[in-house]
Amino acid sequence: MRRDTFLKSMAALAATGALPLSALAAPNLKMLIPANPGGGWDTTGRALGKAMIDSKQADTVTYDNKGGAAGALGLAQFMSGSKGDPNSLMVMGAVMLGGLITAKSPLNLMQCTPLARLINEYNVFVLPANSPHKTMADVIAQLKKDPGSVKWGGGSRGSTEHIAAAMIAQKVGVDPAKINYVAFRGGGEATAAILGGNVTIGGSGYSEFAEYIKAGKMKAIAVTSGQRLPGINVPTLKEQGVDVEIGNWRGVFAPPGITAAQRKSLTDLIVATTKSASWAEALKKNDWTPSLLSGDTFSKFVEDDFASLRAIMAKSGMTT
């Protein structure tokens, strides 16, 4: 076969989706980040894109930030604008599930194509440096005495720190609907509220508060992981007798309408990227816990997490 005829045949196969991405030159990928620059999804998406390029899994990766409504605005854009495009990816995670449930959104995330869960970033709960409380036990004692007097500060309604606060209340015998949760639009606002002593207790990913904890401006009293985080001397909730474990996981979806072969190629590309030195460096830098799940296993995980989140959020009054 002449070379030009062969190349035309390859191009035709690629255009119809009959040729998996792995059979082509490394692809030029587009990454939809359903959040504003600087947050957790943005950091994750850009770190993944860099690792894809560094490990030769992709030639180029371009980024499009579309923030708002806990990821729902970006999801809507992704579902309509990237349908059937095997070179498009979207970063998402637990916060998107919580946001969709809270807003009673008509969007169906599972119409998109689940590819892989990448990481868990566990929350840390902190006290302002001048807090009269010293431990999580102190906070729980006040919570039991007067639930409304404990002001929990964190991210958007339905965020993992909001859900964790509700789970803590439930486990210690307090009606989770009575928690006093103050939602902030961004990490900067929550940090300022904690530093200013405007909330009783604050929660976020450890990396967001790390510098303030090290400087003694915040006191870390609990992490939401099952075991202590490597190199971080903060007790888990379970160690303190509160049976709560919850991670702010992040993963990657492809658009609706791609073929099974295209899904497999994208999944293989992501799995290969997670084995790279560049990705290992990103995990270490951001205190992320690797938690790779891919393909149908990831799909089932998302469906199960949707169900469990919906149950605790309903009990906490987050869906009313």
Side-chain angles (χ1 to χ4, degrees):
M1 184 186 288
R2 287 175 50 191
R3 184 175 182 275
D4 59 343
T5 305
F6 172 75
L7 291 175
K8 284 178 183 176
S9 300
M10 293 284 279
L13 284 168
T16 61
L19 188 68
L21 287 175
S22 55
L24 302 173
N28 300 303
L29 296 172
K30 293 169 282 187
M31 184 92 67
L32 191 284
I33 299 171
N36 295 326
W41 285 344
D42 187 61
T43 306
T44 304
R46 290 175 190 272
L48 181 66
K50 180 180 184 299
M52 285 175 169
I53 294 169
D54 290 348
S55 61
K56 306 290 192 283
Q57 297 299 320
D59 284 338
T60 63
V61 181
T62 57
Y63 306 95
D64 181 15
N65 288 84
K66 179 71 174 178
L73 294 184
L75 174 60
Q77 177 178 308
F78 188 66
M79 291 179 73
S80 61
S82 299
K83 188 174 182 179
D85 182 355
N87 285 56
S88 287
L89 301 172
M90 178 185 70
V91 181
M92 51 72 67
V95 172
M96 179 177 283
L97 271 58
L100 292 172
I101 294 166
T102 303
K104 298 180 180 176
S105 173
L107 297 173
N108 182 355
L109 173 65
M110 298 310 287
Q111 286 179 352
C112 296
T113 308
L115 298 177
R117 185 183 72 183
L118 300 171
I119 59 165
N120 256 313
E121 182 174 28
Y122 291 100
N123 291 120
V124 61
F125 281 108
V126 298
L127 301 172
N130 62 352
S131 172
H133 303 304
K134 302 301 177 191
T135 65
M136 180 57 80
D138 294 340
V139 175
I140 288 171
Q142 185 181 337
L143 183 69
K144 287 180 174 179
K145 186 178 176 181
D146 182 3
S149 69
V150 177
K151 290 176 70 175
W152 303 79
S156 60
R157 236 173 106 78
S159 63
T160 50
E161 53 268 33
H162 188 184
I163 294 164
M167 291 171 76
I168 291 167
Q170 187 178 43
K171 290 295 183 182
V172 302
V174 173
D175 181 353
K178 291 183 177 178
I179 64 169
N180 180 5
Y181 185 82
V182 183
F184 294 96
R185 287 179 298 177
E189 284 187 7
T191 298
I194 296 161
L195 293 173
N198 298 320
V199 295
T200 311
I201 180 171
S204 187
Y206 188 88
S207 58
E208 219 163 303
F209 290 158
E211 64 180 289
Y212 302 103
I213 294 168
K214 287 171 187 170
K217 295 180 179 178
M218 296 178 183
K219 179 176 173 56
I221 58 170
V223 289
T224 62
S225 49
Q227 299 172 333
R228 290 199 182 198
L229 299 175
I232 296 171
N233 188 28
V234 180
T236 67
L237 285 164
K238 288 187 172 184
E239 278 181 69
Q240 301 176 73
V242 184
D243 188 18
V244 170
E245 178 181 344
I246 181 172
N248 184 8
W249 62 267
R250 299 188 191 119
V252 187
F253 270 58
I258 66 169
T259 67
Q262 289 167 341
R263 181 190 186 191
K264 183 179 186 307
S265 294
L266 283 171
T267 303
D268 289 348
L269 183 156
I270 291 166
V271 170
T273 300
T274 63
K275 296 174 181 176
S276 69
S278 179
W279 183 246
E281 184 182 325
L283 293 175
K284 185 177 179 182
K285 177 183 177 184
N286 293 287
D287 292 314
W288 292 335
T289 302
S291 57
L292 183 67
L293 282 180
S294 61
D296 291 340
T297 307
F298 176 50
S299 299
K300 185 176 187 310
F301 166 79
V302 175
E303 289 172 344
D304 290 348
D305 203 39
F306 247 132
S308 61
L309 287 176
R310 191 176 283 111
I312 185 65
M313 291 170 73
K315 287 177 184 174
S316 308
M318 297 183 208
T319 59
T320 56

